[in-house]
């Protein structure tokens, strides 16, 4: 509790030696010097442990008359009264004394009243806070007020950092972030009261002495440009052409799937996020994966954000890591002019509508939302997501002028439009860009006209455990990172023996396989490197056989429960690089064989020969876009796409004809009933008049031959 203030001192006569025209801080008003402490870490780590505020000490300084007000000290009741050993030793406080203190909202009200009274007694103008560093306001007061749903006065959104003001007048000293109250007083040669043992009082008295000494200097820029804390997160678009500094970006992981950009901005309350600087990441299915990239205004804000690692959003703790500007632009950037026009309206709330009928138009969506929640601009405030060929995807985005209208629209979640229920979610500008980019860069399955190019290092199958599997690699890991991670064991890798595992988008999946010279070397590498750290992540290293590696690289899975076969063994889609999966003759159901001659169904000349086990280089430009998971082997480089290099003209003469070199197009049928047979599939294409010898181009995609009642669900037509 703050002691009752003493009677105000008499106002002295103006000092004729002070020239008002040479005032070192014109128009700055009074300064409220503020010091605070939490129940946890102190000093540069203040606020990094998410503990509550327990102490505020302040005193008013009038720069023009060089007068100071009464020093006040107030304890704050903390929800978790446990004090850290460092805080208990430095402050001398106990849990009992904190239990009798006032709550934070009462202390803030008392602070405002006493500061305004002292400013009026000193004859000053509007006051601005002055703190030792940025942690007290940005890392303690604003986050705690956000957690407790308290509204801070406007005076807490601007302040002077005494360290920066000191460094501005004394640039020859150490950097501003390394300064302390004691070092500033020592550099100025100030005599401080060494007998003062009241925690927080000595700090405020010394800060006031430093300020008065700085005011005697000639600098006219002193206390003229306060630090600003943004009160509201501003949305906005980002272009692929934008240059984003890597020192300003972090990655947040572990977010609740329903969290919005405003929720992320609230988690980083007190720090200045750049306009449109929250990009929620989506997975391959277009849904949020619990990660976000956040761009701050400068490096200092980013460094403070990293101190919030494992702070909580509700009941979940959020991991915060460094990220790069390229990652942010890749997620949040876009090139579509339609999207840029849609996002050009400022201060709009974006909602995403999912599950729309393919025939729905702007009028249907506006009618579904109703007149109580009008869309900004009517039909112009709607953005429909379409495939590259113009077909609708069932997704759309809508703009609303304020939070109240968006809340009203969200109440239509799972409402019916025709015979379909519509899902509504909060969205962001970055999510709009990601969704549009995803559909714009996902063309239909192309027709490949060039045969595949084998490379000279086949992967022979084997049961010896002479390979190691690396699981949990950072997605940014390169071949060089893997070699450095293995250390001395890298000398035992076979030539071309590093194979990255890619997912269906052509991106690293976090897995890799290494072929070692022997099973003993593989076991030794696994024992030495298992759960070793790589870029702040531990990597699991286990030994496996070449056959296990072959199955995973072909699209299967390897887990503690055993092996699962790859989802596709068709040579033109997943190269049969490994002897484990040999081509199997197609089983023709008896009822189908009775309808067509054997020569029409299975001519000998059209049966593809068993291919030679080879591996393939991934192509830098072409891509295969498939709707199922398939992994591909890679040469010893860090691949970024899924595809294959076309065969050089000089090699065409020696390459055997494959199924891809035959005339025609490749068609994949999805949603086929499990009971469908060859007769049913032929009836679908009856109007296209397939030639009799084309019946053999119907090939099942899936497991080995089964009876007609267990026929595979997916077929591929050539």
């Amino acid at each position: 509790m703050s002691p009752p203030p003493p009677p105000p001192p008499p106002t002295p006569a103006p000092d004729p030696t002070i020239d008002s025209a040479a005032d070192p801080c014109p128009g700055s008003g009074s300064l409220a010097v503020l010091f605070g402490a939490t129940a946890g870490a102190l000093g540069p780590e203040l606020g990094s442990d998410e503990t509550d505020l327990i102490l505020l000490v302040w005193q008013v300084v009038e720069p023009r008359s060089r007068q100071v007000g009464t020093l006040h000290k107030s304890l704050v009741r903390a929800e978790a009264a446990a004090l850290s050993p460092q805080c208990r030793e430095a402050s001398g406080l106990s849990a009992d004394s904190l239990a009798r203190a006032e709550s934070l909202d009462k202390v803030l009200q008392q602070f405002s009243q006493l500061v305004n009274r002292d400013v009026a007694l000193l004859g000053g103008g509007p006051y601005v806070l002055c703190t030792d560093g940025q942690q007290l306001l940005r890392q303690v007061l604003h986050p705690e007020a956000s957690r407790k749903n308290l509204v801070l006065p406007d005076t807490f959104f601007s302040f002077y950092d005494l360290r920066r003001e000191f460094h501005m007048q004394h640039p020859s000293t150490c950097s501003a972030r390394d300064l302390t109250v004691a070092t500033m007083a020592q550099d100025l040669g100030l005599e401080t009261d060494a007998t003062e043992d009241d925690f927080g009082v000595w700090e405020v008295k010394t800060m006031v002495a430093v300020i008065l000494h700085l005011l005697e200097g000639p600098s006219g820029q002193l206390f003229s440009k306060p630090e600003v804390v943004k009160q509201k997160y501003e949305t906005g678009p980002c272009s692929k052409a934008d240059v984003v500094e890597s020192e300003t970006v972090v990655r947040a992981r572990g977010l609740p799937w329903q969290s919005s950009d405003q929720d992320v901005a609230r988690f980083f309350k007190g720090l200045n996020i750049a306009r449109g600087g929250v990009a929620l990441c989506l997975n391959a299915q277009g849904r949020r994966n619990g990660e976000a990239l956040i761009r701050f205004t400068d490096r200092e804000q980013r460094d403070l954000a990293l101190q919030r690692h494992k702070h909580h959003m509700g009941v979940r703790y959020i991991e915060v890591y460094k990220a790069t500007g390229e990652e942010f632009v890749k997620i949040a950037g876009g090139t579509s002019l339609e999207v840029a026009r849609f996002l050009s309206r400022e201060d709009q709330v974006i909602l995403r509508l999912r599950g729309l009928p393919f025939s729905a138009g702007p009028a249907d969506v506006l009618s579904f939302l109703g007149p109580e929640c009008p869309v900004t601009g009517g039909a112009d405030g709607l953005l429909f997501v379409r495939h590259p060929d113009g077909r609708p995807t069932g997704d759309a985005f809508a703009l609303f002028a304020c939070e109240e209208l968006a809340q009203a629209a969200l109440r239509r979640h799972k409402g019916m439009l025709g015979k379909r229920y519509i899902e509504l979610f909060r969205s962001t500008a970055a999510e709009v860009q990601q969704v549009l980019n995803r559909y714009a860069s996902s063309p239909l399955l192309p027709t490949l006209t060039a045969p595949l190019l084998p490379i000279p290092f086949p992967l022979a199958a084997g049961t010896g455990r002479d390979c190691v599997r690396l699981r949990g690699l950072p997605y940014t890991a390169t071949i060089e990172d893997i070699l450095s991670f293995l250390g001395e064991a890298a000398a035992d890798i076979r030539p071309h023996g590093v194979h990255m595992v890619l997912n269906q988008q052509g991106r690293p999946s976090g897995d890799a396989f290494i072929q070692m010279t022997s099973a003993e070397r593989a076991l030794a590498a696994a024992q030495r490197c298992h759960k070793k750290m790589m870029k702040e992540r531990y990597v699991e290293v286990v030994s496996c056989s070449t056959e296990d590696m072959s199955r995973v690289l072909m699209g299967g899975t390897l887990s503690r429960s055993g092996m699962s076969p790859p989802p596709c063994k068709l040579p033109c889609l997943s190269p049969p690089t490994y002897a484990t999966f040999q081509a199997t003759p197609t089983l023709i159901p008896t009822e189908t064989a009775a309808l067509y001659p054997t020569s029409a169904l299975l001519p000998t000349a059209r049966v593809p020969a068993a291919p030679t086990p080879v591996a393939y280089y991934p192509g830098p430009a072409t891509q295969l876009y498939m709707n199922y998971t398939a992994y591909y082997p890679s040469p010893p480089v860090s691949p970024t796409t899924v595809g294959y290099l076309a065969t050089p003209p000089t090699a065409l003469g020696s390459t055997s004809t494959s199924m891809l070199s035959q005339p025609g197009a490749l068609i994949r049928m999805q949603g086929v009933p499990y009971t469908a047979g060859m007769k049913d599939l032929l009836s679908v294409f009856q109007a296209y008049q397939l030639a009799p010898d084309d019946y053999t181009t119907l090939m099942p995609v899936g497991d080995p031959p089964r009876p007609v009642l267990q026929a595979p669900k997916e077929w591929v037509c050539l």
Side-chain angles (χ1 to χ4, degrees), residues 509-552:
S509 65
D511 284 21
F513 286 91
I514 313 294
Q515 290 180 282
M516 310 299 289
T517 55
S518 64
E520 292 76 13
R521 298 294 186 182
L523 180 60
Q527 293 176 345
R528 185 183 304 113
C529 300
H530 183 56
K531 291 194 175 181
K532 183 179 174 182
M533 300 298 294
M534 178 191 295
K535 295 183 178 180
E536 300 182 353
R537 295 188 60 141
Y538 74 85
V539 179
E540 298 179 358
V541 183
V542 294
S543 60
C544 63
S545 65
T546 307
E547 182 178 359
D548 295 338
M549 177 186 69
S550 303
R551 288 182 179 238
V552 174

Side-chain angles (χ1 to χ4, degrees), residues 638-684:
S638 183
T640 56
T641 57
V642 181
Y644 301 100
L645 292 173
T647 305
T650 57
L652 289 175
S654 59
T655 306
S656 59
T657 303
S658 67
M659 298 173 64
L660 289 178
S661 62
Q662 298 174 7
L666 182 66
I667 302 175
R668 184 176 182 224
M669 301 176 64
Q670 290 182 296
V672 178
Y674 289 105
T675 58
M678 188 78 69
K679 178 181 177 181
D680 302 312
L681 296 177
L682 291 175
S683 65
V684 175

Side-chain angles (χ1 to χ4, degrees), residues 164-182:
R164 288 192 174 181
E165 302 297 330
F166 180 88
H167 191 267
M168 185 186 305
Q169 200 171 72
H170 300 271
S172 59
T173 58
C174 58
S175 62
R177 68 170 60 187
D178 296 330
L179 289 171
T180 64
V181 175

Side-chain angles (χ1 to χ4, degrees), residues 142-163:
H142 281 280
E144 184 173 347
S146 178
R147 291 195 303 267
K148 297 180 178 179
N149 295 320
L150 301 179
V151 179
L152 291 176
D154 292 341
T155 53
F156 285 88
F157 288 88
S158 63
F159 66 99
Y160 291 112
D161 184 353
L162 183 58
R163 300 183 185 183

Side-chain angles (χ1 to χ4, degrees), residues 3 30 61 106 120 144 151 164 196 217 270 304 370 407 689 699:
S30 301
V61 177
K106 297 290 184 61
E144 184 173 347
V151 179
R164 288 192 174 181
E196 181 63 64
L304 292 175
Q407 289 288 351
Q689 299 180 355
M699 301 187 62

